[in-house]
């Protein structure tokens, strides 16, 4: 009895957390930092979404309606930078902070102070980027790819943009190092790599991708900086440089970056589908190897974005075939998810709805990607709205839906409260309808020849643009329901059961609900590991 009391007293002392602003400024607890990442991502998601609505409002009808062409180009550039680097990537890092230590039986992330630093870089980075809206010459307007020579013609926003990208990159690299060290060094004894949840596997591979490619982006934008201010000519044709070299550097970063955004989604979906199908994941090992294969192949397909630059025929063939090869491990994943659901006892709670929508719509986006991989066809599709449709089908019903699915899935474990299922389902259906009304017509616009990044267009494109803009406003405003669902659950939701989803597997579900401030003060026993094993 004495031992129990003493242990309780010690635990209470360790569980003590600072309150007020100090708790967040000096946070080293992985759950606090994960929460800050998720809140930050949500704020940037709405800022980037507001910019998207400016774009779609301008394109609702032919003619210049609300903004001038320069500001329109700034909106397309800023929307992309905010959504990719400010919303999706920090959201995944937030989920990794919350879930990786809980799933591998670790007490916290391996490098908690570095974790704090990697988060606090982001508010400064995006403050710099958003300040460009108010400097002479306006925000960057060279597209999210920042291709020279257009990006080199920017005004005072140029150095602020480059510096903010450097800060974002440093933050991503530090977060990736933390994930790798946590998974490899702090797993519970007896938890083998091939017994980890798929979310940990996908994040481990994503972290290696981040460390490999973020320095490439940093090098490319630094060369832009020296071209702009120090008289070098890396990308300036008049000085003997080559603008196409920037494209090679950018896309060597850019294509693995697409998988950095989507691989953690594969992990989340691989957690949710087995839970609500009430069956173990079909082909666990093949899913791990498929994820690693996708990561490897992502390094050798970058120039499929550049078929129109005058590449030699051998280069075109190599990048076309290697791009098609990525469909194989991706297809393995899709078929494994379908096989998991086959003859399962499926129920369609909100996380499962988002997961099934991900499965269907992400596959559609992947198929249009295969169309873009075919060199002669790509000459028609390139720089058209078909590419915009493809990219957004992969990233919105792909990455964004998976993030939402993950939040709905783990929210009861995080907070000890259940969300409102009816409002959650309403949010799903409005999002699913809105996203298809928004992006599906853009395939038709692209095939009809509408180029992207234009503020005005001829009347032949008017009807589908109007439909697309209506979908944008449905999708955009329906996200307010997401915030309401989370807020109401945290404030006044019904108390969640110890295991909110009965058939959920994984070490995080062996913890109390809500998850204690310190997850695994002592490593889980072999019995707990076996019970929570994903295989």
């Amino acid at each position: 009895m004495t031992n129990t009391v003493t242990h309780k007293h010690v635990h209470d002392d360790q569980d003590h957390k600072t309150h007020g602003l100090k708790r967040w400024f000096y946070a080293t607890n992985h759950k606090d930092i994960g929460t800050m990442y998720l809140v930050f991502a949500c704020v940037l998601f709405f800022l980037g979404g507001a910019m998207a609505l400016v774009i779609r409002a301008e394109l609702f009808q032919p003619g210049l309606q609300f903004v001038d062409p320069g500001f329109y180009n700034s909106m397309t550039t800023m929307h992309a930078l905010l959504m990719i680097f400010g919303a999706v990537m920090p959201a995944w890092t937030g989920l990794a902070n919350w879930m990786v230590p809980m799933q591998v039986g670790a007490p916290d992330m391996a490098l908690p102070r570095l974790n704090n630093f990697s988060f606090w870089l982001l508010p400064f980075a995006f403050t710099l980027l958003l300040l460009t809206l108010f400097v002479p010459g306006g925000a960057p307007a060279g597209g999210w790819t920042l291709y020279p020579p257009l990006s080199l013609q920017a005004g005072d926003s140029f150095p602020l943009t480059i510096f903010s990208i450097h800060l974002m990159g440093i933050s991503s690299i530090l977060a990736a190092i933390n994930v790798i060290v946590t998974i490899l060094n702090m797993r519970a004894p007896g938890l083998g790599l091939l017994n980890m949840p798929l979310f940990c596997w996908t994040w481990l591979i994503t972290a290696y991708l981040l460390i490999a490619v973020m320095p490439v982006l940093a090098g490319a934008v630094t060369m832009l900086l020296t071209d702009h201010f120090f008289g070098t000519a890396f990308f300036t044709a008049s000085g003997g440089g080559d603008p196409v070299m920037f494209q090679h550097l950018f896309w060597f970063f850019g294509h693995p970056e697409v998988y950095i955004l989507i691989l953690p989604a594969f992990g989340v979906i691989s957690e949710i589908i087995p839970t609500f199908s009430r069956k173990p994941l079909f082909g666990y090992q093949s899913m791990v190897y498929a994820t690693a294969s996708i990561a490897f192949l992502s390094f050798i397909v970058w120039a499929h974005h550049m078929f129109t630059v005058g590449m030699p025929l051998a280069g075109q063939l190599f990048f076309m075939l290697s791009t098609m090869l990525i469909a194989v491990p991706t297809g393995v994943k899709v078929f494994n998810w379908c096989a998991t659901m086959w003859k399962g006892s499926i129920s369609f709670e909100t996380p499962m709805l988002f997961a099934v929508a991900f499965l269907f719509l992400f596959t559609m986006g992947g198929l249009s990607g295969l169309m873009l991989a075919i060199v002669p066809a790509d000459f028609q599709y390139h720089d058209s709205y078909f590419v915009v449709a493809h990219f957004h089908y992969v990233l919105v019903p792909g990455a964004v839906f998976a993030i939402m699915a993950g939040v709905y899935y783990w929210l009861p474990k995080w907070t000890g409260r259940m969300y409102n299922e009816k409002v959650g389902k309403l949010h799903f259906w409005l999002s699913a309808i809105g996203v298809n009304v928004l992006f599906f017509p853009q395939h038709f616009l692209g095939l009809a020849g509408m180029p992207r990044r234009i503020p005005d267009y001829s009347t032949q494109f008017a009807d589908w643009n109007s439909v697309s803009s209506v979908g944008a406003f449905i999708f955009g405003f329906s996200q307010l329901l997401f915030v309401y669902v989370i807020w109401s659950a945290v404030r006044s939701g019904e108390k969640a059961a110890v295991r909110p989803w009965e058939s959920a597997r994984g070490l995080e579900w062996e913890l109390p609900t809500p998850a204690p401030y310190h997850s695994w003060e002592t490593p889980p026993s072999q019995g707990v590991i076996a019970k929570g094993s994903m295989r």
Side-chain angles (χ1 to χ4, degrees), residues 111-185:
L111 305 161
R113 291 185 188 278
L114 192 74
N115 207 9
N116 176 285
F117 181 60
S118 67
F119 169 76
W120 283 109
L121 283 170
L122 289 179
F124 290 100
F126 284 94
T127 300
L128 276 178
L129 187 59
L130 289 166
L131 283 174
T132 61
L133 289 163
F134 307 102
V135 301
W144 83 279
T145 54
L146 302 174
Y147 279 1
L150 189 59
S151 60
L152 292 173
Q153 297 163 15
D156 294 350
S157 66
F158 186 79
L160 295 173
T161 305
I162 301 302
F163 190 43
S164 69
I165 289 170
H166 275 300
L167 290 176
M168 297 169 206
I170 294 166
S171 171
S172 294
I173 290 168
L174 296 181
I177 290 169
N178 222 339
V179 169
I180 291 169
V181 177
T182 303
I183 291 174
L184 295 186
N185 283 11

Side-chain angles (χ1 to χ4, degrees), residues 55-317:
I55 293 166
R56 288 314 319 173
E58 179 58 52
L59 293 175
F60 183 68
Q61 288 181 320
L64 295 177
Q65 314 291 324
F66 304 106
V67 296
D68 66 75
F71 186 75
Y72 177 89
N73 285 342
S74 291
M75 286 292 97
T76 60
T77 305
M78 293 285 281
H79 162 70
L81 291 172
L82 261 60
M83 284 301 200
I84 291 170
F85 297 110
V88 176
M89 288 175 72
W92 284 133
T93 312
L95 283 169
N97 264 286
W98 255 102
M99 299 315 304
V100 166
M102 290 165 65
Q103 290 189 329
V104 300
D108 206 312
M109 295 295 277
L111 305 161
R113 291 185 188 278
L114 192 74
N115 207 9
N116 176 285
F117 181 60
S118 67
F119 169 76
W120 283 109
L121 283 170
L122 289 179
F124 290 100
F126 284 94
T127 300
L128 276 178
L129 187 59
L130 289 166
L131 283 174
T132 61
L133 289 163
F134 307 102
V135 301
W144 83 279
T145 54
L146 302 174
Y147 279 1
L150 189 59
S151 60
L152 292 173
Q153 297 163 15
D156 294 350
S157 66
F158 186 79
L160 295 173
T161 305
I162 301 302
F163 190 43
S164 69
I165 289 170
H166 275 300
L167 290 176
M168 297 169 206
I170 294 166
S171 171
S172 294
I173 290 168
L174 296 181
I177 290 169
N178 222 339
V179 169
I180 291 169
V181 177
T182 303
I183 291 174
L184 295 186
N185 283 11
M186 296 187 69
R187 289 194 322 282
L191 179 64
L193 281 173
L194 285 173
N195 286 317
M196 287 196 310
L198 252 294
F199 182 68
C200 293
W201 259 114
T202 53
W203 238 111
L204 179 64
I205 292 166
T206 298
Y208 278 112
L209 286 178
L210 278 165
I211 290 171
V213 302
M214 292 310 292
V216 178
L217 177 66
V221 297
T222 303
M223 291 155 84
L224 275 179
L225 197 71
T226 60
D227 274 11
H228 194 277
F229 289 108
F230 299 109
T232 58
F234 292 112
F235 311 125
T236 310
S238 59
D242 186 0
V244 174
M245 183 169 77
F246 179 85
Q247 296 187 30
H248 280 288
L249 289 170
F250 180 86
W251 286 115
F252 188 79
F253 148 80
H255 201 78
E257 168 67 14
V258 173
Y259 290 98
I260 287 164
L261 299 173
I262 205 67
L263 286 183
F266 294 165
V268 169
I269 301 307
S270 299
E271 307 274 337
I272 292 172
I273 286 180
T275 295
F276 295 101
S277 301
R278 290 160 183 82
K279 283 176 63 186
L281 180 68
F282 182 89
Y284 170 92
Q285 278 198 336
S286 66
M287 294 291 260
V288 173
Y289 296 137
T291 306
S293 303
I294 290 168
F296 169 74
L297 290 169
S298 74
F299 282 102
I300 60 169
V301 297
W302 77 88
H304 65 213
H305 299 269
M306 301 168 52
F307 285 147
T308 59
V309 302
M311 198 184 302
L313 180 61
Q316 292 180 349
L317 285 170

Side-chain angles (χ1 to χ4, degrees), residues 62 73 91 142 162 164 224 226 264 268 306 373 392 404 413 440 450-451 473 483 490 524:
N73 285 342
I162 301 302
S164 69
L224 275 179
T226 60
V268 169
M306 301 168 52
H392 285 87
M404 291 172 178
K413 175 55 71 177
F440 202 79
M450 181 174 169
F473 280 88
V483 176
V490 172

